[in-house]
Amino acid sequence: MNSPLILTVTQLNSYARSVVEQDSILNNVFVIGEISNFVDHYRSGHLYMSIKDSQSVISAVMFASNASRLKFRPENGMSVIIRGRVSIYERDGRYQLYIDDMQ
């Protein structure tokens, strides 16, 4: 009988992140949904939001380098198509969508 592996919370989150990031579908995914909880961090240039549909929601972030290329200003209630990747923010153990492009 094998002994159970004992992990710290940090080790568990790190391992889960590596598993998610190795998935070819989650590494380059298109998602359609509606923007909610939009926050523009003016100092950093990062955009934080939730993307939702009628049944679910996911947290999302668009870093300044990608946000600076947008040809429009995102707003709550806006329907968008997002290209990005899914990962886990290790500190909080929360999975989220990292946005590369938005239309």
Side-chain angles (χ1 to χ4, degrees), residues 24-86:
S24 61
I25 293 173
L26 298 178
N27 205 0
N28 186 31
V29 66
F30 287 83
V31 177
I32 187 167
E34 179 183 309
I35 296 173
S36 65
N37 303 314
F38 180 74
V39 177
D40 184 344
H41 281 249
Y42 296 101
R43 286 186 178 174
S44 68
H46 303 329
L47 307 178
Y48 297 90
M49 65 200 81
S50 298
I51 305 298
K52 66 180 185 173
D53 61 21
S54 63
Q55 298 177 8
S56 296
V57 64
I58 184 170
S59 296
V61 60
M62 186 175 212
F63 294 122
S65 57
N66 293 321
S68 67
R69 294 192 303 263
L70 285 176
K71 295 180 177 18
F72 65 96
R73 176 164 168 71
E75 297 177 4
N76 286 323
M78 188 177 280
S79 293
V80 292
I81 298 173
I82 289 168
R83 182 180 55 82
R85 63 184 174 82
V86 176

